[in-house]
Amino acid sequence: MNFDRLAPHYDWLETFTAGEKLQQVRTAWLQELRGCRRILSVGEGHGRFAEACAKRFPGAQLTCVEASPRMLARAQQRIGAAAPRIQWQCADVLAWTPPREKYDAIVTCFFLDCFPPDQLAAVIAKLAACAAPDAVWLVSDFAVPPQGLAHWRARAVHALMYGFFGMTVGLPARRLTPPDESLCAQAFRLEARRESEWGLLRSDWWQREPT
Ligand SMILES: C[S@@+](CC[C@H](N)C(=O)[O-])C[C@H]1O[C@@H](n2cnc3c(N)ncnc32)[C@H](O)[C@@H]1O
């Protein structure tokens, strides 16, 4: 998977297909990061979450891990010198060496849906290992409602999306794997969920239970 090719087009494609809807999903639970000192955003992409987060919590230390150099450059260009505390790391998260100090929050925006089941479980386990025992995890993603017209509508949208990303960036996933089971296996509990667009879009706030 390589998002470099898509990087110059990502902003206008988002605006054209979804307007501000994806950004509303990314930031739906932003306030739950209050009090978090160290925040990790993985697959940050073009920097829209990082921009909102740095603006809202200028004192927090935000680390962004992103595999595509061109997406990372786009994010840095977007935010510029406005947020000098952001640490940018160009790396595949599975090969990335995390620091020893744990993160108070993990953020994944439209990232977990990129992976097939075996890789998804490995990504979630890796990120959970970097998270504090009481960490927050904000997940923004697409979803498929269980039944009815909303289900078939989402299936059609997903077929188009996975076809498009498969062709353009070599996305390894062919369909969505819900991350819920893997998050629960890492002691995260779903605190709250907001759905929009007939259940096609989801903003989740997960909270880790100290054991
Ligand atoms: C669908 S885009 C989402 C971008 C952005 N977070 C958003 O909200 O639109 C997925 C992003 O994850 C990055 N990515 C994919 N696999 C990765 C990996 N293994 N490690 C780090 N980043 C990865 C891609 O380069 C891409 O920028």
Side-chain angles (χ1 to χ4, degrees), residues 1-4 10 14 22 26 41-49 65-68 71 91-94 108-111 113-115 123 165 171:
M1 163 167 44
N2 186 347
F3 272 73
D4 274 356
Y10 204 85
E14 174 173 334
L22 302 189
R26 289 184 192 103
S41 168
V42 185
E44 169 58 37
H46 57 344
R48 290 205 69 192
F49 172 79
V65 175
E66 166 56 53
S68 153
M71 286 295 258
D92 174 342
V93 71
L94 285 171
T108 50
C109 299
F110 302 101
F111 170 69
D113 58 356
C114 294
F115 300 97
V123 167
F165 283 105
L171 199 77

PDB file of all heavy atoms in Angstrom, residues 1-4 10 14 22 26 41-49 65-68 71 91-94 108-111 113-115 123 165 171, ligand 1:
ATOM      1  N   MET A   1       0.853  -1.183   0.000  1.00  0.00           N
ATOM      2  CA  MET A   1       0.000   0.000   0.000  1.00  0.00           C
ATOM      3  C   MET A   1       0.889   1.233   0.000  1.00  0.00           C
ATOM      4  O   MET A   1       1.818   1.339   0.780  1.00  0.00           O
ATOM      5  CB  MET A   1      -0.868  -0.100   1.259  1.00  0.00           C
ATOM      6  CG  MET A   1      -1.534   1.127   1.697  1.00  0.00           C
ATOM      7  SD  MET A   1      -2.827   0.892   2.958  1.00  0.00           S
ATOM      8  CE  MET A   1      -2.201  -0.247   4.161  1.00  0.00           C
ATOM      9  N   ASN A   2       0.600   2.161  -0.917  1.00  0.00           N
ATOM     10  CA  ASN A   2       1.397   3.385  -0.980  1.00  0.00           C
ATOM     11  C   ASN A   2       0.495   4.560  -1.395  1.00  0.00           C
ATOM     12  O   ASN A   2       0.050   4.639  -2.537  1.00  0.00           O
ATOM     13  CB  ASN A   2       2.542   3.197  -1.975  1.00  0.00           C
ATOM     14  CG  ASN A   2       3.476   4.386  -1.967  1.00  0.00           C
ATOM     15  OD1 ASN A   2       3.159   5.438  -1.407  1.00  0.00           O
ATOM     16  ND2 ASN A   2       4.628   4.239  -2.590  1.00  0.00           N
ATOM     17  N   PHE A   3       0.280   5.451  -0.442  1.00  0.00           N
ATOM     18  CA  PHE A   3      -0.623   6.577  -0.679  1.00  0.00           C
ATOM     19  C   PHE A   3       0.057   7.751  -1.387  1.00  0.00           C
ATOM     20  O   PHE A   3      -0.594   8.772  -1.635  1.00  0.00           O
ATOM     21  CB  PHE A   3      -1.245   7.053   0.642  1.00  0.00           C
ATOM     22  CG  PHE A   3      -2.513   6.315   1.008  1.00  0.00           C
ATOM     23  CD1 PHE A   3      -2.471   5.005   1.460  1.00  0.00           C
ATOM     24  CD2 PHE A   3      -3.754   6.918   0.886  1.00  0.00           C
ATOM     25  CE1 PHE A   3      -3.643   4.311   1.790  1.00  0.00           C
ATOM     26  CE2 PHE A   3      -4.933   6.247   1.210  1.00  0.00           C
ATOM     27  CZ  PHE A   3      -4.876   4.940   1.661  1.00  0.00           C
ATOM     28  N   ASP A   4       1.337   7.630  -1.730  1.00  0.00           N
ATOM     29  CA  ASP A   4       2.052   8.752  -2.363  1.00  0.00           C
ATOM     30  C   ASP A   4       1.324   9.285  -3.594  1.00  0.00           C
ATOM     31  O   ASP A   4       1.210  10.486  -3.789  1.00  0.00           O
ATOM     32  CB  ASP A   4       3.464   8.308  -2.770  1.00  0.00           C
ATOM     33  CG  ASP A   4       4.446   8.458  -1.620  1.00  0.00           C
ATOM     34  OD1 ASP A   4       4.048   8.967  -0.552  1.00  0.00           O
ATOM     35  OD2 ASP A   4       5.607   8.050  -1.782  1.00  0.00           O
ATOM     36  N   TYR A  10      -5.691  14.150  -2.469  1.00  0.00           N
ATOM     37  CA  TYR A  10      -6.489  13.700  -1.323  1.00  0.00           C
ATOM     38  C   TYR A  10      -7.449  14.787  -0.818  1.00  0.00           C
ATOM     39  O   TYR A  10      -8.611  14.512  -0.524  1.00  0.00           O
ATOM     40  CB  TYR A  10      -5.545  13.242  -0.204  1.00  0.00           C
ATOM     41  CG  TYR A  10      -6.185  12.258   0.732  1.00  0.00           C
ATOM     42  CD1 TYR A  10      -6.209  10.896   0.451  1.00  0.00           C
ATOM     43  CD2 TYR A  10      -6.801  12.694   1.903  1.00  0.00           C
ATOM     44  CE1 TYR A  10      -6.817   9.992   1.310  1.00  0.00           C
ATOM     45  CE2 TYR A  10      -7.407  11.801   2.763  1.00  0.00           C
ATOM     46  CZ  TYR A  10      -7.408  10.455   2.462  1.00  0.00           C
ATOM     47  OH  TYR A  10      -8.020   9.569   3.311  1.00  0.00           O
ATOM     48  N   GLU A  14     -11.540  14.529  -1.029  1.00  0.00           N
ATOM     49  CA  GLU A  14     -12.357  14.533   0.196  1.00  0.00           C
ATOM     50  C   GLU A  14     -13.447  15.605   0.121  1.00  0.00           C
ATOM     51  O   GLU A  14     -14.617  15.338   0.412  1.00  0.00           O
ATOM     52  CB  GLU A  14     -11.471  14.762   1.421  1.00  0.00           C
ATOM     53  CG  GLU A  14     -12.310  14.916   2.684  1.00  0.00           C
ATOM     54  CD  GLU A  14     -11.502  14.974   3.965  1.00  0.00           C
ATOM     55  OE1 GLU A  14     -10.378  14.441   4.012  1.00  0.00           O
ATOM     56  OE2 GLU A  14     -12.026  15.553   4.943  1.00  0.00           O
ATOM     57  N   LEU A  22     -16.306  14.165   6.765  1.00  0.00           N
ATOM     58  CA  LEU A  22     -15.246  13.321   7.338  1.00  0.00           C
ATOM     59  C   LEU A  22     -14.533  14.049   8.478  1.00  0.00           C
ATOM     60  O   LEU A  22     -14.156  13.443   9.476  1.00  0.00           O
ATOM     61  CB  LEU A  22     -14.249  12.877   6.265  1.00  0.00           C
ATOM     62  CG  LEU A  22     -14.820  12.096   5.083  1.00  0.00           C
ATOM     63  CD1 LEU A  22     -13.697  11.530   4.226  1.00  0.00           C
ATOM     64  CD2 LEU A  22     -15.737  10.960   5.535  1.00  0.00           C
ATOM     65  N   ARG A  26     -13.872  12.888  12.251  1.00  0.00           N
ATOM     66  CA  ARG A  26     -12.536  12.862  12.880  1.00  0.00           C
ATOM     67  C   ARG A  26     -12.518  13.576  14.226  1.00  0.00           C
ATOM     68  O   ARG A  26     -11.810  13.196  15.141  1.00  0.00           O
ATOM     69  CB  ARG A  26     -11.503  13.570  11.985  1.00  0.00           C
ATOM     70  CG  ARG A  26     -11.129  12.852  10.741  1.00  0.00           C
ATOM     71  CD  ARG A  26     -10.016  13.599   9.983  1.00  0.00           C
ATOM     72  NE  ARG A  26      -9.871  13.028   8.661  1.00  0.00           N
ATOM     73  CZ  ARG A  26     -10.339  13.599   7.543  1.00  0.00           C
ATOM     74  NH1 ARG A  26     -10.916  14.772   7.574  1.00  0.00           N
ATOM     75  NH2 ARG A  26     -10.202  12.982   6.385  1.00  0.00           N
ATOM     76  N   SER A  41      -1.147   9.785  16.782  1.00  0.00           N
ATOM     77  CA  SER A  41      -2.065   9.625  15.653  1.00  0.00           C
ATOM     78  C   SER A  41      -1.357   8.793  14.583  1.00  0.00           C
ATOM     79  O   SER A  41      -0.270   9.164  14.124  1.00  0.00           O
ATOM     80  CB  SER A  41      -2.449  11.001  15.088  1.00  0.00           C
ATOM     81  OG  SER A  41      -3.095  10.818  13.844  1.00  0.00           O
ATOM     82  N   VAL A  42      -1.977   7.713  14.183  1.00  0.00           N
ATOM     83  CA  VAL A  42      -1.326   6.796  13.237  1.00  0.00           C
ATOM     84  C   VAL A  42      -2.083   6.802  11.904  1.00  0.00           C
ATOM     85  O   VAL A  42      -3.316   6.782  11.887  1.00  0.00           O
ATOM     86  CB  VAL A  42      -1.269   5.377  13.823  1.00  0.00           C
ATOM     87  CG1 VAL A  42      -0.483   4.454  12.905  1.00  0.00           C
ATOM     88  CG2 VAL A  42      -0.625   5.408  15.190  1.00  0.00           C
ATOM     89  N   GLY A  43      -1.321   6.832  10.815  1.00  0.00           N
ATOM     90  CA  GLY A  43      -1.939   6.964   9.491  1.00  0.00           C
ATOM     91  C   GLY A  43      -2.565   8.344   9.390  1.00  0.00           C
ATOM     92  O   GLY A  43      -3.654   8.511   8.842  1.00  0.00           O
ATOM     93  N   GLU A  44      -1.848   9.340   9.900  1.00  0.00           N
ATOM     94  CA  GLU A  44      -2.413  10.711  10.003  1.00  0.00           C
ATOM     95  C   GLU A  44      -2.777  11.285   8.637  1.00  0.00           C
ATOM     96  O   GLU A  44      -3.685  12.083   8.513  1.00  0.00           O
ATOM     97  CB  GLU A  44      -1.408  11.612  10.741  1.00  0.00           C
ATOM     98  CG  GLU A  44      -1.696  13.097  10.706  1.00  0.00           C
ATOM     99  CD  GLU A  44      -3.063  13.475  11.286  1.00  0.00           C
ATOM    100  OE1 GLU A  44      -3.508  12.877  12.271  1.00  0.00           O
ATOM    101  OE2 GLU A  44      -3.691  14.405  10.715  1.00  0.00           O
ATOM    102  N   GLY A  45      -2.065  10.850   7.590  1.00  0.00           N
ATOM    103  CA  GLY A  45      -2.433  11.303   6.247  1.00  0.00           C
ATOM    104  C   GLY A  45      -2.176  12.781   6.043  1.00  0.00           C
ATOM    105  O   GLY A  45      -1.098  13.293   6.371  1.00  0.00           O
ATOM    106  N   HIS A  46      -3.185  13.494   5.521  1.00  0.00           N
ATOM    107  CA  HIS A  46      -2.994  14.880   5.089  1.00  0.00           C
ATOM    108  C   HIS A  46      -3.074  15.903   6.217  1.00  0.00           C
ATOM    109  O   HIS A  46      -3.068  17.105   5.964  1.00  0.00           O
ATOM    110  CB  HIS A  46      -3.975  15.220   3.967  1.00  0.00           C
ATOM    111  CG  HIS A  46      -5.434  15.010   4.327  1.00  0.00           C
ATOM    112  ND1 HIS A  46      -5.847  14.271   5.407  1.00  0.00           N
ATOM    113  CD2 HIS A  46      -6.570  15.459   3.734  1.00  0.00           C
ATOM    114  CE1 HIS A  46      -7.168  14.272   5.461  1.00  0.00           C
ATOM    115  NE2 HIS A  46      -7.630  14.991   4.465  1.00  0.00           N
ATOM    116  N   GLY A  47      -3.194  15.455   7.471  1.00  0.00           N
ATOM    117  CA  GLY A  47      -2.994  16.348   8.608  1.00  0.00           C
ATOM    118  C   GLY A  47      -4.216  17.080   9.126  1.00  0.00           C
ATOM    119  O   GLY A  47      -4.083  17.978   9.953  1.00  0.00           O
ATOM    120  N   ARG A  48      -5.404  16.679   8.708  1.00  0.00           N
ATOM    121  CA  ARG A  48      -6.574  17.449   9.162  1.00  0.00           C
ATOM    122  C   ARG A  48      -6.885  17.191  10.629  1.00  0.00           C
ATOM    123  O   ARG A  48      -7.288  18.092  11.355  1.00  0.00           O
ATOM    124  CB  ARG A  48      -7.789  17.154   8.267  1.00  0.00           C
ATOM    125  CG  ARG A  48      -7.604  17.744   6.885  1.00  0.00           C
ATOM    126  CD  ARG A  48      -8.907  18.012   6.210  1.00  0.00           C
ATOM    127  NE  ARG A  48      -9.657  19.091   6.831  1.00  0.00           N
ATOM    128  CZ  ARG A  48     -10.927  19.362   6.555  1.00  0.00           C
ATOM    129  NH1 ARG A  48     -11.561  18.644   5.646  1.00  0.00           N
ATOM    130  NH2 ARG A  48     -11.562  20.344   7.144  1.00  0.00           N
ATOM    131  N   PHE A  49      -6.688  15.944  11.083  1.00  0.00           N
ATOM    132  CA  PHE A  49      -6.892  15.697  12.518  1.00  0.00           C
ATOM    133  C   PHE A  49      -5.825  16.441  13.317  1.00  0.00           C
ATOM    134  O   PHE A  49      -6.132  17.123  14.303  1.00  0.00           O
ATOM    135  CB  PHE A  49      -6.865  14.195  12.861  1.00  0.00           C
ATOM    136  CG  PHE A  49      -6.883  14.006  14.344  1.00  0.00           C
ATOM    137  CD1 PHE A  49      -8.065  14.121  15.057  1.00  0.00           C
ATOM    138  CD2 PHE A  49      -5.698  13.829  15.059  1.00  0.00           C
ATOM    139  CE1 PHE A  49      -8.081  14.045  16.452  1.00  0.00           C
ATOM    140  CE2 PHE A  49      -5.706  13.748  16.449  1.00  0.00           C
ATOM    141  CZ  PHE A  49      -6.900  13.847  17.143  1.00  0.00           C
ATOM    142  N   VAL A  65       2.439   9.309  13.101  1.00  0.00           N
ATOM    143  CA  VAL A  65       3.176   8.291  12.344  1.00  0.00           C
ATOM    144  C   VAL A  65       2.435   8.075  11.029  1.00  0.00           C
ATOM    145  O   VAL A  65       1.225   7.821  11.031  1.00  0.00           O
ATOM    146  CB  VAL A  65       3.262   6.969  13.146  1.00  0.00           C
ATOM    147  CG1 VAL A  65       3.924   5.882  12.306  1.00  0.00           C
ATOM    148  CG2 VAL A  65       4.026   7.190  14.439  1.00  0.00           C
ATOM    149  N   GLU A  66       3.163   8.191   9.931  1.00  0.00           N
ATOM    150  CA  GLU A  66       2.535   8.109   8.610  1.00  0.00           C
ATOM    151  C   GLU A  66       3.525   7.451   7.651  1.00  0.00           C
ATOM    152  O   GLU A  66       4.683   7.851   7.590  1.00  0.00           O
ATOM    153  CB  GLU A  66       2.146   9.538   8.159  1.00  0.00           C
ATOM    154  CG  GLU A  66       1.797   9.704   6.706  1.00  0.00           C
ATOM    155  CD  GLU A  66       0.674   8.778   6.233  1.00  0.00           C
ATOM    156  OE1 GLU A  66      -0.397   8.743   6.837  1.00  0.00           O
ATOM    157  OE2 GLU A  66       0.899   8.083   5.209  1.00  0.00           O
ATOM    158  N   ALA A  67       3.046   6.456   6.903  1.00  0.00           N
ATOM    159  CA  ALA A  67       3.959   5.682   6.042  1.00  0.00           C
ATOM    160  C   ALA A  67       4.287   6.384   4.729  1.00  0.00           C
ATOM    161  O   ALA A  67       5.343   6.138   4.151  1.00  0.00           O
ATOM    162  CB  ALA A  67       3.342   4.314   5.758  1.00  0.00           C
ATOM    163  N   SER A  68       3.398   7.239   4.248  1.00  0.00           N
ATOM    164  CA  SER A  68       3.615   7.845   2.931  1.00  0.00           C
ATOM    165  C   SER A  68       4.354   9.182   3.070  1.00  0.00           C
ATOM    166  O   SER A  68       3.822  10.131   3.667  1.00  0.00           O
ATOM    167  CB  SER A  68       2.251   8.071   2.245  1.00  0.00           C
ATOM    168  OG  SER A  68       2.321   9.137   1.330  1.00  0.00           O
ATOM    169  N   MET A  71       2.186  12.100   1.780  1.00  0.00           N
ATOM    170  CA  MET A  71       1.065  12.465   2.669  1.00  0.00           C
ATOM    171  C   MET A  71       1.620  13.249   3.860  1.00  0.00           C
ATOM    172  O   MET A  71       1.046  14.262   4.280  1.00  0.00           O
ATOM    173  CB  MET A  71       0.334  11.213   3.164  1.00  0.00           C
ATOM    174  CG  MET A  71      -0.529  10.543   2.127  1.00  0.00           C
ATOM    175  SD  MET A  71      -1.940  11.551   1.576  1.00  0.00           S
ATOM    176  CE  MET A  71      -3.272  10.818   2.460  1.00  0.00           C
ATOM    177  N   ALA A  91       6.956   6.371   8.861  1.00  0.00           N
ATOM    178  CA  ALA A  91       7.246   4.955   9.123  1.00  0.00           C
ATOM    179  C   ALA A  91       6.004   4.106   8.921  1.00  0.00           C
ATOM    180  O   ALA A  91       4.876   4.585   9.091  1.00  0.00           O
ATOM    181  CB  ALA A  91       7.725   4.796  10.571  1.00  0.00           C
ATOM    182  N   ASP A  92       6.241   2.846   8.586  1.00  0.00           N
ATOM    183  CA  ASP A  92       5.178   1.843   8.622  1.00  0.00           C
ATOM    184  C   ASP A  92       4.999   1.490  10.093  1.00  0.00           C
ATOM    185  O   ASP A  92       5.968   1.115  10.769  1.00  0.00           O
ATOM    186  CB  ASP A  92       5.645   0.614   7.817  1.00  0.00           C
ATOM    187  CG  ASP A  92       4.668  -0.550   7.917  1.00  0.00           C
ATOM    188  OD1 ASP A  92       3.830  -0.572   8.845  1.00  0.00           O
ATOM    189  OD2 ASP A  92       4.754  -1.444   7.066  1.00  0.00           O
ATOM    190  N   VAL A  93       3.805   1.629  10.594  1.00  0.00           N
ATOM    191  CA  VAL A  93       3.608   1.470  12.038  1.00  0.00           C
ATOM    192  C   VAL A  93       4.044   0.080  12.527  1.00  0.00           C
ATOM    193  O   VAL A  93       4.502  -0.065  13.663  1.00  0.00           O
ATOM    194  CB  VAL A  93       2.146   1.777  12.436  1.00  0.00           C
ATOM    195  CG1 VAL A  93       1.187   0.700  11.968  1.00  0.00           C
ATOM    196  CG2 VAL A  93       2.036   1.979  13.927  1.00  0.00           C
ATOM    197  N   LEU A  94       3.961  -0.922  11.675  1.00  0.00           N
ATOM    198  CA  LEU A  94       4.337  -2.267  12.117  1.00  0.00           C
ATOM    199  C   LEU A  94       5.848  -2.419  12.263  1.00  0.00           C
ATOM    200  O   LEU A  94       6.324  -3.300  12.976  1.00  0.00           O
ATOM    201  CB  LEU A  94       3.766  -3.326  11.166  1.00  0.00           C
ATOM    202  CG  LEU A  94       2.265  -3.560  11.346  1.00  0.00           C
ATOM    203  CD1 LEU A  94       1.713  -4.447  10.242  1.00  0.00           C
ATOM    204  CD2 LEU A  94       1.949  -4.157  12.719  1.00  0.00           C
ATOM    205  N   THR A 108      -6.897   6.980  15.460  1.00  0.00           N
ATOM    206  CA  THR A 108      -6.804   6.384  14.118  1.00  0.00           C
ATOM    207  C   THR A 108      -8.008   6.876  13.313  1.00  0.00           C
ATOM    208  O   THR A 108      -9.149   6.523  13.610  1.00  0.00           O
ATOM    209  CB  THR A 108      -6.794   4.842  14.197  1.00  0.00           C
ATOM    210  OG1 THR A 108      -7.868   4.390  15.021  1.00  0.00           O
ATOM    211  CG2 THR A 108      -5.479   4.318  14.755  1.00  0.00           C
ATOM    212  N   CYS A 109      -7.733   7.717  12.341  1.00  0.00           N
ATOM    213  CA  CYS A 109      -8.809   8.270  11.498  1.00  0.00           C
ATOM    214  C   CYS A 109      -8.749   7.616  10.124  1.00  0.00           C
ATOM    215  O   CYS A 109      -7.751   7.790   9.387  1.00  0.00           O
ATOM    216  CB  CYS A 109      -8.643   9.779  11.332  1.00  0.00           C
ATOM    217  SG  CYS A 109      -8.722  10.704  12.859  1.00  0.00           S
ATOM    218  N   PHE A 110      -9.767   6.893   9.769  1.00  0.00           N
ATOM    219  CA  PHE A 110      -9.863   6.244   8.455  1.00  0.00           C
ATOM    220  C   PHE A 110      -8.572   5.477   8.137  1.00  0.00           C
ATOM    221  O   PHE A 110      -8.045   5.539   7.029  1.00  0.00           O
ATOM    222  CB  PHE A 110     -10.205   7.288   7.371  1.00  0.00           C
ATOM    223  CG  PHE A 110     -11.487   7.998   7.686  1.00  0.00           C
ATOM    224  CD1 PHE A 110     -11.492   9.267   8.241  1.00  0.00           C
ATOM    225  CD2 PHE A 110     -12.700   7.356   7.481  1.00  0.00           C
ATOM    226  CE1 PHE A 110     -12.679   9.906   8.576  1.00  0.00           C
ATOM    227  CE2 PHE A 110     -13.898   7.993   7.808  1.00  0.00           C
ATOM    228  CZ  PHE A 110     -13.878   9.262   8.351  1.00  0.00           C
ATOM    229  N   PHE A 111      -8.080   4.795   9.143  1.00  0.00           N
ATOM    230  CA  PHE A 111      -6.815   4.054   9.029  1.00  0.00           C
ATOM    231  C   PHE A 111      -7.046   2.553   9.225  1.00  0.00           C
ATOM    232  O   PHE A 111      -6.562   1.736   8.440  1.00  0.00           O
ATOM    233  CB  PHE A 111      -5.832   4.601  10.078  1.00  0.00           C
ATOM    234  CG  PHE A 111      -4.584   3.796  10.234  1.00  0.00           C
ATOM    235  CD1 PHE A 111      -3.630   3.766   9.217  1.00  0.00           C
ATOM    236  CD2 PHE A 111      -4.340   3.060  11.391  1.00  0.00           C
ATOM    237  CE1 PHE A 111      -2.463   3.012   9.367  1.00  0.00           C
ATOM    238  CE2 PHE A 111      -3.186   2.316  11.542  1.00  0.00           C
ATOM    239  CZ  PHE A 111      -2.247   2.298  10.522  1.00  0.00           C
ATOM    240  N   ASP A 113      -9.482   0.766   8.648  1.00  0.00           N
ATOM    241  CA  ASP A 113     -10.235   0.122   7.555  1.00  0.00           C
ATOM    242  C   ASP A 113      -9.344  -0.235   6.358  1.00  0.00           C
ATOM    243  O   ASP A 113      -9.822  -0.808   5.377  1.00  0.00           O
ATOM    244  CB  ASP A 113     -11.401   1.013   7.095  1.00  0.00           C
ATOM    245  CG  ASP A 113     -10.958   2.401   6.623  1.00  0.00           C
ATOM    246  OD1 ASP A 113      -9.747   2.705   6.728  1.00  0.00           O
ATOM    247  OD2 ASP A 113     -11.810   3.168   6.154  1.00  0.00           O
ATOM    248  N   CYS A 114      -8.055   0.091   6.456  1.00  0.00           N
ATOM    249  CA  CYS A 114      -7.126  -0.224   5.353  1.00  0.00           C
ATOM    250  C   CYS A 114      -6.647  -1.680   5.409  1.00  0.00           C
ATOM    251  O   CYS A 114      -6.008  -2.144   4.459  1.00  0.00           O
ATOM    252  CB  CYS A 114      -5.884   0.667   5.430  1.00  0.00           C
ATOM    253  SG  CYS A 114      -6.198   2.412   5.153  1.00  0.00           S
ATOM    254  N   PHE A 115      -6.896  -2.380   6.525  1.00  0.00           N
ATOM    255  CA  PHE A 115      -6.220  -3.653   6.749  1.00  0.00           C
ATOM    256  C   PHE A 115      -7.156  -4.866   6.696  1.00  0.00           C
ATOM    257  O   PHE A 115      -8.280  -4.812   7.208  1.00  0.00           O
ATOM    258  CB  PHE A 115      -5.515  -3.627   8.106  1.00  0.00           C
ATOM    259  CG  PHE A 115      -4.479  -2.540   8.195  1.00  0.00           C
ATOM    260  CD1 PHE A 115      -4.781  -1.323   8.785  1.00  0.00           C
ATOM    261  CD2 PHE A 115      -3.216  -2.724   7.647  1.00  0.00           C
ATOM    262  CE1 PHE A 115      -3.840  -0.306   8.843  1.00  0.00           C
ATOM    263  CE2 PHE A 115      -2.263  -1.706   7.699  1.00  0.00           C
ATOM    264  CZ  PHE A 115      -2.578  -0.503   8.296  1.00  0.00           C
ATOM    265  N   VAL A 123      -1.860  -4.688  13.929  1.00  0.00           N
ATOM    266  CA  VAL A 123      -1.744  -3.227  14.093  1.00  0.00           C
ATOM    267  C   VAL A 123      -2.339  -2.810  15.444  1.00  0.00           C
ATOM    268  O   VAL A 123      -1.729  -2.041  16.203  1.00  0.00           O
ATOM    269  CB  VAL A 123      -2.457  -2.487  12.929  1.00  0.00           C
ATOM    270  CG1 VAL A 123      -2.628  -1.012  13.239  1.00  0.00           C
ATOM    271  CG2 VAL A 123      -1.685  -2.661  11.629  1.00  0.00           C
ATOM    272  N   PHE A 165      -9.522   2.382  -3.978  1.00  0.00           N
ATOM    273  CA  PHE A 165      -8.250   2.389  -3.237  1.00  0.00           C
ATOM    274  C   PHE A 165      -7.384   1.171  -3.585  1.00  0.00           C
ATOM    275  O   PHE A 165      -6.160   1.246  -3.541  1.00  0.00           O
ATOM    276  CB  PHE A 165      -8.504   2.478  -1.729  1.00  0.00           C
ATOM    277  CG  PHE A 165      -8.876   3.864  -1.277  1.00  0.00           C
ATOM    278  CD1 PHE A 165     -10.188   4.181  -0.937  1.00  0.00           C
ATOM    279  CD2 PHE A 165      -7.917   4.875  -1.215  1.00  0.00           C
ATOM    280  CE1 PHE A 165     -10.536   5.470  -0.542  1.00  0.00           C
ATOM    281  CE2 PHE A 165      -8.253   6.168  -0.815  1.00  0.00           C
ATOM    282  CZ  PHE A 165      -9.566   6.468  -0.482  1.00  0.00           C
ATOM    283  N   LEU A 171      -4.407  -0.920  -1.812  1.00  0.00           N
ATOM    284  CA  LEU A 171      -4.926  -1.236  -0.472  1.00  0.00           C
ATOM    285  C   LEU A 171      -5.056  -2.759  -0.319  1.00  0.00           C
ATOM    286  O   LEU A 171      -5.662  -3.413  -1.170  1.00  0.00           O
ATOM    287  CB  LEU A 171      -6.308  -0.581  -0.314  1.00  0.00           C
ATOM    288  CG  LEU A 171      -6.801  -0.400   1.119  1.00  0.00           C
ATOM    289  CD1 LEU A 171      -6.083   0.782   1.762  1.00  0.00           C
ATOM    290  CD2 LEU A 171      -8.303  -0.145   1.145  1.00  0.00           C
TER     291      LEU A 171
HETATM  292  C1  LIG B   1      -7.264   6.270   4.132  1.00  0.00           C
HETATM  293  S1  LIG B   1      -5.879   7.217   4.558  1.00  0.00           S
HETATM  294  C2  LIG B   1      -6.484   8.166   5.947  1.00  0.00           C
HETATM  295  C3  LIG B   1      -5.742   9.462   6.095  1.00  0.00           C
HETATM  296  C4  LIG B   1      -6.239  10.365   7.223  1.00  0.00           C
HETATM  297  N1  LIG B   1      -5.977   9.790   8.537  1.00  0.00           N
HETATM  298  C5  LIG B   1      -7.694  10.722   7.102  1.00  0.00           C
HETATM  299  O1  LIG B   1      -8.356  10.843   8.139  1.00  0.00           O
HETATM  300  O2  LIG B   1      -8.174  10.931   5.984  1.00  0.00           O
HETATM  301  C6  LIG B   1      -4.841   6.043   5.373  1.00  0.00           C
HETATM  302  C7  LIG B   1      -3.484   6.631   5.735  1.00  0.00           C
HETATM  303  O3  LIG B   1      -2.768   5.652   6.486  1.00  0.00           O
HETATM  304  C8  LIG B   1      -1.431   5.578   6.004  1.00  0.00           C
HETATM  305  N2  LIG B   1      -0.953   4.216   6.263  1.00  0.00           N
HETATM  306  C9  LIG B   1      -1.367   3.079   5.688  1.00  0.00           C
HETATM  307  N3  LIG B   1      -0.713   2.006   6.191  1.00  0.00           N
HETATM  308  C10 LIG B   1       0.147   2.495   7.098  1.00  0.00           C
HETATM  309  C11 LIG B   1       1.068   1.889   7.973  1.00  0.00           C
HETATM  310  N4  LIG B   1       1.274   0.563   7.978  1.00  0.00           N
HETATM  311  N5  LIG B   1       1.784   2.685   8.821  1.00  0.00           N
HETATM  312  C12 LIG B   1       1.582   4.029   8.819  1.00  0.00           C
HETATM  313  N6  LIG B   1       0.708   4.658   8.013  1.00  0.00           N
HETATM  314  C13 LIG B   1       0.004   3.910   7.166  1.00  0.00           C
HETATM  315  C14 LIG B   1      -1.551   5.898   4.525  1.00  0.00           C
HETATM  316  O4  LIG B   1      -0.327   6.306   3.955  1.00  0.00           O
HETATM  317  C15 LIG B   1      -2.623   6.962   4.521  1.00  0.00           C
HETATM  318  O5  LIG B   1      -2.095   8.259   4.667  1.00  0.00           O
END
